[in-house]
Structure formats: C-alpha cells, structure tokens
Amino acid sequence: MFKTDLILKASDPGKWEVSAPLIWVDKERSIIVPSGFVTDLASIPKIVRPFIDRNGKTRRPAIIHDYLYQTAIHSRIKRKDADLIFLSAMKSEGIGLMRYAIYQAVRSFGWMFFSGKS
C-alpha cells in the first residue's frame, strides 16, 4: 500500500518530477521513489488512451513501475516482479478489472522498456 501522497511538478513536456518521496510497502518490501525521479506517468499507447486516465488512479502505480523498470539493473528486481508490484499497486488504488488489461499489456510489451536483464 502507498504510505505517502503523490507530489509532482511539471518537468519537460510530457514528463513529471517527483517532488517528495513516494513510498510503497507490501509484505515483502518497501520501495521509495526519491524526490527528483522523472516519469512520464503511464506509458499508454495513443489508441487506448481514451479508455485509461493516465492522470487518475494509475499515477502512483505507474511511477512505482517506472522506477522499478529504470533501476532494475541496480536493484536486481526481475521484470515479472516489477509487473506484479504494479498490479498490486493498481489494486490498492481501487482500479477494478481494468488493472488486469493494463497488467497484460505491460507483460506483453514491457520488455522494450525494462533496463534489467530478466
């Protein structure tokens, strides 16, 4: 579950900077996205943007997911684990069945953006 509110400031066009640490905690780990981390929020293909509000409930889960993908090689997190955390984070934000479609899209195409090796 998220332990902090999300505080962002606009960065470059289409980019956002985390202004205060974003903290996620589950049974196995604690993830802290530091201030200064830059994200594009949810990387949603244009064709499905009308169905998913990238400025809504997906924001905090998307930032955790972006952070895990970008730091994977240093944190040694596996892509599947990052994706499962994303799914869990979406559930904690109250995202209904749509979270499974978003998760499947990430599982199918996330390899293009993952910085780790697995």
Side-chain angles (χ1 to χ4, degrees):
M1 82 174 56
F2 287 98
K3 296 293 186 179
T4 56
D5 291 330
L6 177 60
I7 303 172
L8 296 173
K9 67 179 179 179
S11 182
D12 294 327
K15 302 286 184 179
W16 297 90
E17 183 178 322
V18 175
S19 296
L22 179 63
I23 301 172
W24 163 263
V25 177
D26 65 17
K27 294 176 185 174
E28 299 174 26
R29 66 191 62 88
S30 178
I31 300 164
I32 302 171
V33 179
S35 297
F37 178 75
V38 177
T39 178
D40 65 354
L41 300 176
S43 304
I44 302 170
K46 288 181 183 179
I47 194 164
V48 294
R49 285 184 188 165
F51 307 105
I52 300 170
D53 180 7
R54 67 193 281 172
N55 290 311
K57 293 179 180 181
T58 61
R59 291 187 329 163
R60 289 195 300 182
I63 291 169
I64 292 290
H65 193 251
D66 279 0
Y67 179 74
L68 292 173
Y69 263 44
Q70 289 182 31
T71 62
I73 201 157
H74 302 292
S75 65
R76 299 181 185 191
I77 194 162
K78 295 180 180 177
R79 186 170 78 89
K80 182 176 182 178
D81 293 333
D83 294 347
L84 287 170
I85 291 167
F86 181 48
L87 180 64
S88 180
M90 286 190 290
K91 181 179 180 182
S92 79
E93 291 292 89
I95 299 170
L97 295 176
M98 178 61 77
R99 74 179 178 266
Y100 295 107
I102 297 168
Y103 171 77
Q104 286 302 323
V106 165
R107 288 301 301 150
S108 297
F109 303 104
W111 61 269
M112 294 184 279
F113 306 99
F114 188 70
S115 69
K117 293 183 177 183
S118 57

